[in-house]
């Protein structure tokens, strides 16, 4: 393409060049008259874009299936919006509460708690928050489940009184007439559910929010819930008990005198209610919650809610290093609950052991493979690769049969008389078992890079060293070994990083002392559902691996790693 | 008052729901994805009600997914991704409660959704207390209990749960599940705590320490299992002298594989397994599942299941119909955990207690285990 261009524009460019020699002194121009620099840039950019387009499928694939999920998972380790989202009013009110003062929060907080839990239980979100807070405070789970069942009673105190005063307040239709705008009421009148059209969204009557601010507030939440989540006919729906308590608060609160200004539908009933409300029996929200569960009148649940109110928390990370958030700041957990630090250390220690035993076993095999005639080497290579074609679970379970006390190895040793029948070796369900099984499983990852690096070391070097008088050992140690180090490096990185994240094998053969941090991560992902903690543990593990990789680069140099010739 | 309101509210919800099914009755989905545990248990479900249902509805296909062990985490992930591909999920009751709490399972009204007993008893009375959650449809009662090698215990086979803790009388390894649930209760029981007080004691830090201290006395003699198949294998190989697992697993070791193993029913812990319907299914799939689940949990079908596996049917009305094993022709009743001879001293899994204390006690248990 560009050749063709050149050909057709050649006469022009020759002319242009002549002309440039004569008069033009500006930047050098390309054949089509644009400055050469810009033209070159453009060509380069085109090249870059086409290169990018070529790798785009892979890039998008990696982004979508690898980077994004990892980022999403890591984000969970600090994300904590559920508390604020489920208890918005309570957490706002709690900001003014001194969590270390030893005093319970005041009535306004309990009232907001009632309102929050009422809305949450309608949306079935309260138990979710209970499970979340149960990670921090034992008992929160059933506390919230119970409270969800109990809040109905609290609002019914006002509901019953308003309904006893005038049956007008029983009916959803009447509430809608008072609170809904005329346009919306007309639209609702025309709307037929059976027609399949969407229900006209609720609109508040003009000015009603000034007269009954809280009622209007909760009624719009109620309307939104009925119309969008339950998808019922709002006009026929009787309001939540929560609306009645807000209604009571409006009629007895600072906006009470505004009621007289209202002249819309139900004005008489409203005036009657406003007159009667001040003499109603009231609800003591704190007592009501104490009736549901006495935990609500004790400090721990409030401290926990206050501590975990912010949208983001370092609580999961503190948990992951055996610490906890307390009102006085981070503190170490009680000794009988510390486990992660032990597991991190154990994971690192055992991964190093596995890597070393892989080097010890893999190096001679790599050497033999590299020095055998190609045909034999290929045959042996199949033996090395064979485990790759067998299921991981099968290989691990086979080790169980081999290593257990009534297993093949112990039976053989007893038969040979090496160990006594009553003191069979404990080779499984401990660290030994994990190291043996994982060394076997990860060995190919060590042998393959070793083999491909050793293959490139010319045998003549060793012969040359020997002919110059080196002993076998010196020739190996001073000449051969240094050239195989990149293979060891590559194999070690592979084996170490793979083993640090292993969990199936340790779970099966590790018993209680041979399990890794990954087993706890798996537990929190699939059993306890504490994904935040799992994410924090995973993030720490990732940071440790990256840190070790960096250290390796500084000490050995990452250029010194080869996966092949 | 509160109770009736909840009841009315929930029946209103379900009432609306049934209307929707009726509307969609004409276009029920043709395919169901059922999730279960695999192995002999799933096979018993398949033979007892899935195949019969498919014979009645030749145009319907059912696909099994053996993911019950990770059902809670997977359902949560599916729900977050907004694409729930499962139609009916078999879970243990504790998981059903959590799925219900998380809003991942659909609330149902037993009397609306499930078939009444042949004598007209309503489903909610027939299942009774086993309806431990608003989302849970029980199928079977199973128990976690002990099996022991008859050839390794001498002339005095173990008869009490505390024999598990007696390493002098019964030397050798034991297998216990690698989690605090059940083990803590047994430890307290054998540490002299009254059965009625077990959970009160276990709720206190001192009680938890006490239980761990008791477990500490046999710590070196325990192989900790995490898969239900571990204990049967260990028993068959003679690795352990006794071990806990699900009673159905022990049944197959004893009766099908004829191993020298016997049951120790003392202080067995009953637990429930059943269906949940994932929340937010499209109408046509929901209609199909509702149709299936009504059939699959009726009195005869639950009784049929016990022909294939030694778990007790969750319906009271199914109990008299329990017959003989389909292949071996032995009476199944004496192998049921609920058989009066076996159920002299039992626990029922305490769902509420463990929902609250699971995270806390598990942290302590795992820390103790790792030491």
């Amino acid at each position: 393409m560009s050749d063709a261009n050149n050909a057709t524009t050649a006469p022009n460019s020759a002319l242009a060049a002549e002309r440039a020699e004569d008069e033009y002194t500006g930047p050098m121009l390309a054949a089509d008259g644009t400055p050469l620099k810009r033209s070159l840039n453009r060509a380069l950019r085109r090249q870059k874009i086409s290169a990018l387009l070529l790798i785009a499928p892979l890039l998008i694939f990696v982004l979508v299936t690898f980077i994004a999920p990892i980022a999403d998972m890591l984000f969970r380790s600090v994300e904590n919006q559920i508390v604020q989202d489920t208890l918005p009013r309570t957490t706002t009110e709690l900001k003014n509460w001194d969590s270390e003062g030893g005093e319970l929060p005041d009535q306004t907080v309990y009232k907001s708690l009632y309102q929050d839990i009422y809305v949450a239980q309608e949306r079935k979100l309260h138990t979710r928050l209970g499970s979340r807070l149960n990670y921090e405070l034992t008992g929160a789970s059933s506390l919230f489940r119970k409270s969800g069942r109990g809040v109905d009673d609290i609002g019914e105190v006002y509901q019953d009184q308003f309904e006893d005063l005038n049956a007008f307040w029983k009916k959803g239709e009447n509430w809608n007439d008072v609170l809904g705008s005329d346009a919306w009421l007309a639209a609702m009148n025309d709307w037929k559910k059976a027609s399949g059209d969407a229900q006209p969204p609720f609109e508040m009557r003009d000015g009603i929010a000034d007269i009954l601010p809280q009622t209007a507030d909760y009624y719009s939440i109620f309307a939104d819930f009925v119309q969008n989540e339950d998808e019922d006919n709002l006009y026929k729906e009787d309001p939540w008990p929560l609306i009645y308590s807000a209604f009571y608060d409006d009629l007895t609160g600072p906006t009470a005198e505004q009621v007289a200004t209202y002249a819309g539908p139900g004005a008489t009933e409203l005036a009657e209610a406003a007159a009667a409300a001040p003499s109603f029996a009231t609800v003591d929200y704190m007592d009501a919650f104490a009736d549901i569960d006495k935990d609500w009148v004790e400090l721990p649940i409030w401290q926990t809610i206050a501590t975990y109110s912010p949208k983001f928390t370092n609580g999961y990370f503190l948990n992951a290093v055996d610490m906890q958030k307390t009102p006085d700041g981070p503190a170490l957990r009680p000794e009988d609950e510390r486990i992660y630090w032990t597991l991190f250390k154990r994971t690192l220690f055992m991964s190093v052991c596995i890597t070393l035993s892989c080097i010890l076993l893999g190096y001679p095999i790599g050497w033999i493979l590299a020095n055998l005639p190609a045909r034999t080497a290929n045959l042996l290579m199949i033996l090395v690769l064979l485990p790759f074609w067998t299921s991981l679970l099968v290989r691990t379970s086979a080790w169980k049969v081999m290593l257990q006390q009534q297993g093949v190895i112990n039976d053989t040793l007893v038969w040979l008389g090496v160990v006594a029948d009553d003191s069979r070796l404990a080779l499984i369900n401990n660290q030994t078992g994990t190291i043996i099984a994982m060394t076997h499983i990860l060995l190919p990852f060590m042998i393959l890079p070793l083999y491909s690096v050793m293959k490139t070391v010319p045998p003549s070097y060793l012969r040359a060293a020997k002919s110059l008088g080196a002993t076998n050992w010196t020739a190996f140690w001073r000449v051969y070994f240094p050239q195989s180090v990149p293979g060891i490096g590559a194999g070690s990185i592979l084996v170490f990083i793979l083993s640090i994240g292993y969990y199936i094998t340790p779970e099966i053969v590790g018993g209680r002392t041979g399990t890794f941090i990954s087993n706890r991560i798996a537990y929190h992902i699939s059993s306890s559902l504490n994904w935040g903690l799992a994410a924090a543990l995973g993030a720490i593990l990732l940071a440790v691996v990256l840190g070790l990789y960096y250290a390796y680069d500084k000490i050995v140099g990452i250029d010194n790693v080869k996966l092949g010739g | 008052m509160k109770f009736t309101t909840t009841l009315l509210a929930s029946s209103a919800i379900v009432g609306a729901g049934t209307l929707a099914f009726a509307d969609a009755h004409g276009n029920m989905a043709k395919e169901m994805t059922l999730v279960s545990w695999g192995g002999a248990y799933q096979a018993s479900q398949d033979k007892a009600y899935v195949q019969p249902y498919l014979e009645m509805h030749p145009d319907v296909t059912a696909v099994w997914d053996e993911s019950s062990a990770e059902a809670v985490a997977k359902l949560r992930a599916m729900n977050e991704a907004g694409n729930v591909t499962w139609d009916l999920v078999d879970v243990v009751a504790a998981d059903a409660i959590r799925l219900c709490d998380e809003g991942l399972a659909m609330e149902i009204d037993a009397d609306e959704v499930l078939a009444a007993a042949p004598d007209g008893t309503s489903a909610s009375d027939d299942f009774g207390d086993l309806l431990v959650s608003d989302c849970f449809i029980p199928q079977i009662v199973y128990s976690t209990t002990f099996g022991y090698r008859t050839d390794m215990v001498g002339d005095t086979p173990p008869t009490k749960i505390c024999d598990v803790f007696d390493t002098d009388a019964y030397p050798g390894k034991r297998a216990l599940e690698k989690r605090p649930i059940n083990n803590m209760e047994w430890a307290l029981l054998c540490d002299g705590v009254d059965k009625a007080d077990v959970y009160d004691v276990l709720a206190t830090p001192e009680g938890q320490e006490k239980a761990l201290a008791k477990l500490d006395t046999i710590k070196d003699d325990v192989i900790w299992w995490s898969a239900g198949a571990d204990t049967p294998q260990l028993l068959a190989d003679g690795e352990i002298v006794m071990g806990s697992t699900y009673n159905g697993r022990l049944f197959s070791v004893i009766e099908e594989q004829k191993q020298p193993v016997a049951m120790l029913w003392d202080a067995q812990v009953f637990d429930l397994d059943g269906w949940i319907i994932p929340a937010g299914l499209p109408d046509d799939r929901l209609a199909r599942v509702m149709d299936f689940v009504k059939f699959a949990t009726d009195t005869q079908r639950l009784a049929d299941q016990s022909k294939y596996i030694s778990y007790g049917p969750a319906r009271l009305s199914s109990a008299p119909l329990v017959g003989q094993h389909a292949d071996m022709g032995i009476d199944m009743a004496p192998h049921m955990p609920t058989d009066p001879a076996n159920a002299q001293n039992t626990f029922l899994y305490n769902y509420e207690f463990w929902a609250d204390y699971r995270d806390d006690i598990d942290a302590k248990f795992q820390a103790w285990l790792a030491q």
Side-chain angles (χ1 to χ4, degrees):
Chain A
M1 184 69 188
S2 60
D3 278 351
N5 271 341
N6 283 348
T8 51
T9 54
N12 287 341
S13 70
L15 280 173
E18 265 171 43
R19 229 180 288 141
E21 246 168 61
D22 294 340
E23 49 207 287
Y24 190 70
T25 52
M28 199 181 285
L29 291 182
D32 56 356
T34 52
L36 186 60
K37 206 168 173 186
R38 196 189 311 157
S39 165
L40 272 175
N41 277 344
R42 192 180 298 153
L44 267 181
R45 196 178 324 129
R46 209 175 298 134
Q47 250 175 18
K48 272 186 198 158
I49 289 175
S50 62
L52 203 67
L53 280 179
L54 273 177
I55 63 154
L58 176 68
L59 194 70
I60 292 169
F61 180 78
V62 168
L63 270 177
V64 170
T65 64
F66 190 66
I67 309 283
I70 288 183
D72 177 64
M73 208 61 211
L74 292 182
F75 179 64
R76 284 170 197 273
S77 63
V78 290
E79 191 249 39
N80 186 47
Q81 292 173 359
I82 182 168
V83 184
Q84 220 177 76
D85 287 354
T86 318
L87 306 175
R89 301 166 198 87
T90 314
T91 48
T92 318
E93 291 287 340
L94 265 186
K95 281 189 184 127
N96 310 318
W97 175 65
D98 175 18
S99 60
E100 287 164 84
E103 299 270 320
L104 283 172
D106 55 20
Q107 284 284 355
T108 51
V109 176
Y110 281 95
K111 194 165 133 192
S112 343
L113 182 70
Y114 161 65
Q115 295 159 341
D116 284 338
I117 292 193
Y118 193 92
V119 175
Q121 61 95 19
E122 286 290 341
R123 299 206 152 115
K124 306 202 186 312
L125 297 172
H126 63 299
T127 45
R128 214 176 286 189
L129 178 65
S131 317
R132 161 69 187 98
L133 289 178
N134 203 61
Y135 299 136
E136 319 298 341
L137 181 74
T138 300
S141 173
S142 66
L143 181 63
F144 275 86
R145 207 175 307 129
K146 255 191 248 172
S147 308
R149 284 188 234 123
V151 284
D152 258 351
D153 294 349
I154 301 179
E156 276 168 10
V157 173
Y158 293 119
Q159 183 174 10
D160 292 347
Q161 293 184 87
F162 278 114
E163 290 178 2
D164 290 347
L165 179 74
N166 192 333
F168 176 84
W169 299 113
K170 255 187 196 160
K171 291 242 166 212
E173 286 98 323
N174 298 335
W175 283 92
N176 280 308
D177 288 343
V178 174
L179 294 169
S181 76
D182 294 332
W184 175 74
L185 287 168
M188 273 311 267
N189 207 22
D190 295 340
W191 175 73
K192 300 259 179 314
K193 188 171 187 177
S195 72
D197 294 341
Q199 194 176 152
F202 178 73
E203 262 175 49
M204 198 66 70
R205 179 178 294 282
D206 269 347
I208 200 82
D210 299 327
I211 302 167
L212 303 167
Q214 298 185 53
T215 315
D217 219 14
Y218 288 108
Y219 202 81
S220 49
I221 296 177
F222 166 72
D224 176 57
F225 177 80
V226 172
Q227 292 194 314
N228 298 324
E229 286 178 50
D230 260 10
E231 295 180 1
D232 282 337
N233 186 343
L234 173 63
Y235 192 68
K236 303 262 180 224
E237 197 76 8
D238 296 342
W240 292 337
L242 174 68
I243 312 279
Y244 292 89
S245 45
F247 188 45
Y248 170 82
D249 290 338
D250 280 334
L251 294 182
T252 55
T255 51
E257 56 265 30
Q258 303 270 346
V259 172
T261 64
Y262 177 75
T268 8
E269 285 85 355
L270 189 61
E272 177 198 17
S279 56
F280 274 6
T282 58
V283 173
D284 183 318
Y285 288 100
M286 194 193 275
D287 283 354
F289 273 101
D291 279 350
I292 292 174
D293 195 309
K294 63 174 176 32
D295 281 353
W296 280 120
V297 284
E298 278 164 26
L299 283 175
I301 183 67
W302 289 109
Q303 287 169 338
T304 309
I305 293 176
T307 315
Y308 288 93
S309 292
K311 276 190 162 37
F312 298 98
T313 178
N314 57 3
Y316 291 124
F317 274 101
L318 289 176
N319 260 353
V321 291
D322 290 332
M323 294 173 80
Q324 60 189 351
K325 275 175 101 101
T326 64
D328 315 320
L332 266 181
R333 281 184 174 272
E335 195 147 2
D336 63 347
E337 287 176 26
R338 290 182 211 160
I339 178 171
Y340 299 114
W341 183 230
T342 319
L343 285 180
F344 273 119
K345 278 192 302 192
R346 184 195 288 167
T347 305
L348 289 181
F349 168 75
M350 289 181 58
S351 300
V352 169
C353 288
I354 290 160
T355 312
L356 288 179
S357 46
C358 278
I359 297 176
L360 280 180
L361 291 176
Y363 198 90
I365 299 174
W367 191 83
I368 291 172
L369 284 177
N371 287 287
L372 279 176
R375 181 186 289 239
T376 336
N378 284 341
L379 198 67
L380 289 179
M381 190 52 110
I382 289 175
L383 293 182
V384 170
L385 290 175
L386 202 58
F388 269 144
W389 303 331
T390 319
S391 145
L392 176 68
L393 275 171
V394 172
R395 276 182 282 162
T396 309
S397 304
W399 275 114
K400 237 170 139 168
V401 180
M402 293 289 286
L403 295 174
Q404 62 185 7
Q405 293 200 308
Q406 308 295 325
V408 178
I409 291 180
N410 264 310
D411 280 350
T412 314
L413 290 177
V414 169
W415 182 71
L416 289 174
V418 181
V419 296
D421 198 12
D422 53 357
S423 61
R424 288 168 175 249
L425 302 177
L427 297 172
I428 199 171
N429 297 320
N430 52 23
Q431 298 199 348
T432 321
T434 306
I435 291 178
I436 294 176
M438 283 188 56
T439 302
H440 166 242
I441 284 161
L442 294 175
L443 199 53
F445 293 97
M446 181 63 81
I447 294 177
L448 292 177
L450 272 175
Y451 167 72
S452 51
V453 167
M454 287 172 170
K455 206 67 187 140
T456 62
V457 179
S460 53
Y461 286 9
L462 269 186
R463 288 201 293 274
K466 282 186 199 160
S467 75
L468 291 171
T471 60
N472 277 346
W473 171 252
T474 319
F476 167 74
W477 186 246
R478 300 278 299 277
V479 176
Y480 191 84
F481 182 76
Q483 298 186 77
S484 65
V485 163
I488 297 181
S492 302
I493 288 187
L494 275 177
V495 170
F496 183 78
I497 290 178
L498 279 175
S499 66
I500 242 182
Y502 241 62
Y503 82 96
I504 295 179
T505 306
E507 183 69 35
I508 296 177
V509 299
R512 64 177 187 85
T513 55
T515 47
F516 283 12
I517 189 73
S518 335
N519 297 91
R520 284 276 89 194
I521 298 180
Y523 168 80
H524 285 303
I525 290 279
S526 64
S527 280
S528 83
L529 285 195
N530 193 349
W531 287 8
L533 179 54
L537 288 168
I540 293 177
L541 199 57
L542 183 63
V544 168
V545 171
L546 289 179
L548 287 171
Y549 188 79
Y550 176 79
Y552 183 90
D553 185 30
K554 283 286 143 196
I555 299 166
V556 184
I558 211 67
D559 302 340
N560 215 354
V561 163
K562 273 190 199 153
L563 287 166
Chain B
M1 177 65 198
K2 177 181 69 185
F3 183 60
T4 38
T5 347
T6 338
L7 210 68
L8 283 175
S10 55
S11 53
I13 293 171
V14 176
T18 10
L19 279 182
F21 311 145
D23 287 348
H25 202 80
N27 49 16
M28 280 196 243
K30 296 277 179 244
E31 201 180 280
M32 296 185 289
T33 305
L34 309 173
V35 184
S36 188
W37 301 90
Y41 181 64
Q42 183 176 308
S44 75
Q45 294 177 310
D46 198 49
K47 288 179 197 153
Y49 31 76
V50 178
Q51 291 311 328
Y53 183 83
L54 296 184
E55 273 165 34
M56 288 161 53
H57 301 86
D59 53 336
V60 178
T61 51
V63 182
W64 285 105
D65 185 338
E66 302 180 3
S67 295
S68 282
E70 309 96 50
V72 187
K74 284 198 173 174
L75 258 183
R76 195 199 226 187
M78 283 187 193
N79 195 278
E80 287 189 8
N83 181 23
V84 177
T85 57
W86 293 345
D87 294 311
L88 196 58
V89 187
D90 190 285
V91 288
V92 293
D95 283 344
I97 292 173
R98 284 197 300 163
L99 286 166
C100 212
D101 276 0
E102 296 253 340
L104 298 171
M106 193 177 106
E107 289 190 9
I108 53 131
D109 179 339
D111 290 337
E112 291 279 347
V113 173
L114 306 176
D119 63 358
T121 314
S122 70
S124 55
D125 288 338
D126 204 15
F127 283 106
D129 293 341
L130 305 189
L131 292 166
V132 293
S133 155
D134 293 338
C135 305
F136 186 56
I137 308 165
Q139 290 169 80
I140 53 136
V141 179
Y142 69 97
S143 89
T144 307
T145 189
F146 282 86
Y148 60 89
R149 287 283 296 208
T150 47
D151 55 346
M152 288 167 72
V153 292
D155 301 330
T156 51
T159 51
K160 292 276 162 233
I161 181 70
C162 298
D163 294 340
V164 173
F165 292 87
D166 188 349
T167 48
D168 295 332
Y170 302 100
K173 299 256 181 200
R174 293 98 165 86
L176 293 177
E177 190 172 4
K178 204 190 226 173
R179 64 172 195 177
I181 301 169
N182 301 346
N183 295 330
M184 300 293 266
E185 286 100 322
W186 288 326
L188 284 182
L189 206 60
C190 294
D191 203 32
V193 175
D194 234 28
K195 192 175 154 192
D197 302 334
V198 162
Y199 288 103
D200 292 335
V201 174
L202 201 51
T204 62
E206 299 76 38
Q208 294 155 13
E209 261 171 47
K210 198 174 153 86
L212 289 178
K214 183 68 184 178
L215 285 170
D216 215 50
T217 58
I218 54 167
K219 194 176 185 180
D220 292 335
D221 295 303
V222 174
I223 293 175
W224 301 95
W225 60 268
S226 42
D230 288 349
T231 297
Q233 177 257 320
L234 293 167
L235 277 172
D237 286 355
E239 271 298 285
I240 52 171
V241 59
M242 55 181 85
S244 68
T245 189
Y246 315 125
N247 70 291
R249 302 273 190 173
L250 290 169
F251 171 79
S252 79
V253 172
I254 297 169
E255 295 296 341
E256 287 167 13
Q257 301 167 26
K258 305 286 179 200
Q259 296 287 335
V261 173
M263 305 286 296
L264 169 58
W265 289 105
D266 188 41
Q268 56 165 324
V269 183
F270 286 149
D271 198 349
L272 305 169
D273 193 89
W275 298 117
I276 61 102
I277 302 169
L281 287 186
D283 283 345
D284 59 335
R285 280 167 61 193
L286 188 60
R288 170 61 65 199
V289 167
M290 287 290 182
D291 191 56
F292 171 72
V293 93
K294 188 162 195 162
F295 170 78
T297 56
D298 72 10
T299 301
Q300 186 58 49
R301 253 38 68 180
L302 288 187
D304 285 350
Q305 194 179 356
S306 59
K307 281 189 212 162
Y308 306 100
I309 198 147
S310 63
Y311 293 132
R315 276 180 185 263
L316 219 54
S317 59
S318 300
L321 304 176
V322 170
Q324 294 186 328
H325 191 279
D327 305 326
M328 293 185 287
I330 48 173
D331 270 338
M332 290 303 279
H335 295 281
M336 293 292 164
T338 42
D339 190 67
N342 302 332
Q344 284 167 2
N345 180 27
T346 64
F347 276 95
L348 177 60
Y349 186 111
N350 191 331
Y351 300 105
E352 185 156 1
F353 177 85
W354 283 113
D356 278 345
Y357 286 88
R358 181 181 164 134
D359 298 318
D360 182 38
I361 295 185
D362 191 76
K364 289 178 180 168
F365 181 80
Q366 296 296 340
W368 167 78
L369 212 54
Q371 275 160 26

